[in-house]
Amino acid sequence: MEPGKLLETLAVAGRLKEVPRHCVMAGGRHESVAEHCWRAALMAYFLRDEFPEADMDKVIAMCLIHDLGEAFTGDIPAFRKTAEDEQEEERRLHDWVKTLPQPYAGEMLALYGEMAARQTTEAKIYKAIDNMEAVIQHNESPLESWLPEEYPLNLTYGTDKAAFSAYLTALRAAVREVTERKIAEGK
């Protein structure tokens, strides 16, 4: 990629460092979209041994790019995001990705298509990680930052996405145990 275009592309991606997510960090500030994507990618890195048949570099790439659309729309919590919101985010993201040089535009559009279809092992792993990382972050946040609808949501969010894998099902169960303990302790 030509240096000027790379800097322009990184500037758009860099917006995610300042786009706040709904979730609060342990210290009380809102998490950024970039922080969520980074930790999701780190989770994928650490799951390599659990999925030797999967292209985990692809999963890491999916985790890194999955919320780039929020550089244009901001973050809308999953429990408030409408189909119209998703369509607008996808439209704006795809319009931007198409301005990237090849092979990046083609590769990213293919990844987004694979992620949306959720048919491949890699796309299923990415989506389970995406959902689980959000719950892990909630478990680390002060309980007083949770909205009423998050109590039942954090007990179940992503369980369906993890169901295809015994390992991810066990990991989701461990995350749920932390959620249950947090709620029971009230902190």
Side-chain angles (χ1 to χ4, degrees):
M1 188 179 297
E2 185 271 321
K5 185 63 175 178
L6 176 59
L7 293 175
E8 178 186 308
T9 301
L10 291 175
V12 170
R15 293 178 198 167
L16 295 181
K17 292 180 180 184
E18 297 193 53
V19 174
R21 284 175 54 88
H22 161 72
C23 192
V24 173
M25 304 286 289
R29 73 170 173 81
H30 282 270
E31 173 189 37
S32 74
V33 174
E35 290 167 317
H36 162 68
C37 294
W38 167 78
R39 188 154 74 169
L42 187 63
M43 286 176 68
Y45 172 79
F46 285 124
L47 294 180
R48 283 180 182 281
D49 292 341
E50 301 303 329
F51 297 97
E53 77 287 358
D55 180 348
M56 293 306 284
D57 288 339
K58 182 188 273 191
V59 176
I60 291 168
M62 289 174 170
C63 290
L64 288 172
I65 71 167
H66 81 278
D67 277 341
L68 271 171
E70 294 180 10
F72 305 102
T73 62
D75 176 63
I76 302 169
F79 54 87
R80 294 209 173 114
K81 198 172 217 176
T82 66
E84 293 79 26
D85 293 330
E86 288 180 14
Q87 289 170 353
E88 177 64 11
E89 182 179 314
E90 183 177 318
R91 182 191 65 75
R92 292 180 71 186
L93 172 65
H94 285 208
D95 287 350
W96 175 72
V97 170
K98 289 174 187 173
T99 70
L100 299 175
Q102 291 300 337
Y104 305 102
E107 290 172 0
M108 287 178 73
L109 289 172
L111 281 174
Y112 286 124
E114 184 176 341
M115 291 157 66
R118 271 190 243 138
Q119 296 299 309
T120 64
T121 299
E122 290 81 6
K124 291 175 184 178
I125 294 168
Y126 134 73
K127 193 59 184 175
I129 288 171
D130 176 35
N131 285 186
M132 244 183 290
E133 196 287 326
V135 177
I136 291 167
Q137 184 56 57
H138 270 81
N139 285 346
E140 295 170 354
S141 68
L143 194 59
E144 61 268 12
S145 70
W146 290 23
L147 299 175
E149 59 262 44
E150 290 176 308
Y151 286 79
L153 181 64
N154 287 338
L155 292 169
T156 61
Y157 190 60
T159 301
D160 58 333
K161 309 302 186 310
F164 80 96
S165 159
Y167 178 82
L168 290 173
T169 297
L171 178 59
R172 183 60 185 96
V175 171
R176 181 186 170 104
E177 288 175 17
V178 174
T179 303
E180 290 171 338
R181 194 167 44 252
K182 182 175 190 71
I183 292 170
E185 293 172 0
K187 51 184 176 171

